[in-house]
Amino acid sequence: FDHDGRGPVSGIKDDDNNWNIQGHASRIIEVTELELKLFASLYDATGTPPLQARLPALHSQELIGVLEKFAAQPKKLGDLEGEYFSTVMFDETYAQRDGTIRRETRFPDTAEELILSGPHFFVGNPLHQTPRTKCTEKAHYDHLDLIDLPDNYLPRTNYVQACSRDEYYRRTPKTPWNQTPVIDCYRLVYRAMLPPPNERTLFGAIYPPGIAHTNACRGYVFSPKTFLQGIIFGATTFSIPYDFYTKTTGRTNLHQMLDSYPLVGKSKLILVRVLALNCITLHFSKGLSKNSRSRMHWHG
């Protein structure tokens, strides 16, 4: 309260990763009904009265201006209703109980045998870690060096199919527009758990057809009509501004919160960047005909 307002506003933590207790006038945030209206538009259902708005986790006045930029975007993911589908795919507990999957840590022979867990991927990186031979704790993963990986690399999986292939497909969630098993589609996959105190909070990557996941992740499938928009949405969620937006919610589980995230216009530069970061093995050519690859190249 005694600060003169000069100098930069420090972050929540200092350079040594300790909680920052330095005072600054800009860290005093006056919340009026105008700010509450902004919060309601970003964090609550449409039509929520300002006085019932959720309060975001903010630590400086300057961050209000950032939130205003998000609120000013005219379109959200939820506006694509019917053109995308979100699923946890296989519940880790119930899918083992009903014989859909079973716990077995090993290298898969094909992409169809890989079932993702949260630690497998990072921000825009589908090959971040692989489980160790004995994987019983969340720390039992080894980091991967993308430079040294073979073109057809697949990490170890902690789960494998426990039923026939036909039954496995029958139990796989289907897209609402053509009833295609989501396992046959390219998807955005995010970790279900959100750690706000960490350097990054929202972890997601693009995955090719064949690969499944447990409810430690949430997958997003986009219809042919919105496929490119979905890839660009993925690129924005891998960015620092969207990670900041996630942190302000204070939430620790993803659920359906991405529905309220803003969509940006199509950008060739963003598309090229996100595809270059994610499409790092031959598995990403699966399911794309020659004409499809040409269209992707043209859009890029």
Side-chain angles (χ1 to χ4, degrees), residues 85-268:
F85 176 61
S86 167
T87 177
V88 297
M89 192 168 288
F90 296 132
D91 183 279
E92 200 166 327
T93 299
Y94 294 112
Q96 290 185 82
R97 188 177 298 168
D98 68 10
T100 303
I101 62 175
R102 71 174 184 273
R103 181 84 183 192
E104 182 181 337
T105 301
R106 64 172 174 83
F107 281 109
D109 294 324
T110 65
E112 288 75 16
E113 294 182 356
L114 175 58
I115 299 177
L116 296 173
S117 303
H120 272 112
F121 54 92
F122 194 59
V123 182
N125 179 6
L127 294 175
H128 176 53
Q129 296 184 123
T130 184
R132 295 174 183 168
T133 305
K134 184 178 181 180
C135 185
T136 57
E137 301 288 342
K138 62 181 181 181
H140 292 172
Y141 285 79
D142 291 319
H143 288 277
L144 298 171
D145 187 339
L146 299 182
I147 295 177
D148 292 335
L149 296 182
D151 291 342
N152 62 346
Y153 180 81
L154 291 169
R156 286 189 184 93
T157 181
N158 282 324
Y159 294 97
V160 297
Q161 300 170 31
C163 56
S164 69
R165 188 66 180 164
D166 289 343
E167 182 64 16
Y168 185 74
Y169 262 75
R170 190 186 70 79
R171 298 180 184 185
T172 300
K174 311 295 191 300
T175 62
W177 47 87
N178 57 12
Q179 293 300 301
T180 299
V182 296
I183 201 171
D184 284 342
C185 306
Y186 279 86
R187 277 152 291 149
L188 296 174
V189 181
Y190 299 89
R191 290 189 197 178
M193 301 306 295
L194 305 173
N198 287 15
E199 182 178 3
R200 297 298 291 263
T201 297
L202 183 60
F203 304 94
I206 300 173
Y207 279 96
I211 298 172
H213 61 79
T214 69
N215 60 326
C217 314
R218 178 170 284 275
Y220 284 76
V221 186
F222 290 82
S223 72
K225 181 180 177 181
T226 60
F227 180 75
L228 287 179
Q229 180 68 74
I231 298 299
I232 292 173
F233 178 76
T236 58
T237 60
F238 304 158
S239 70
I240 290 177
Y242 276 65
D243 199 84
F244 156 77
Y245 185 29
T246 304
K247 288 181 185 295
T248 65
T249 67
R251 295 185 179 183
T252 57
N253 198 294
L254 189 64
H255 293 302
Q256 285 292 128
M257 61 188 287
L258 293 184
D259 293 352
S260 63
Y261 279 38
L263 293 171
V264 300
K266 294 179 180 179
S267 165
K268 293 182 179 180

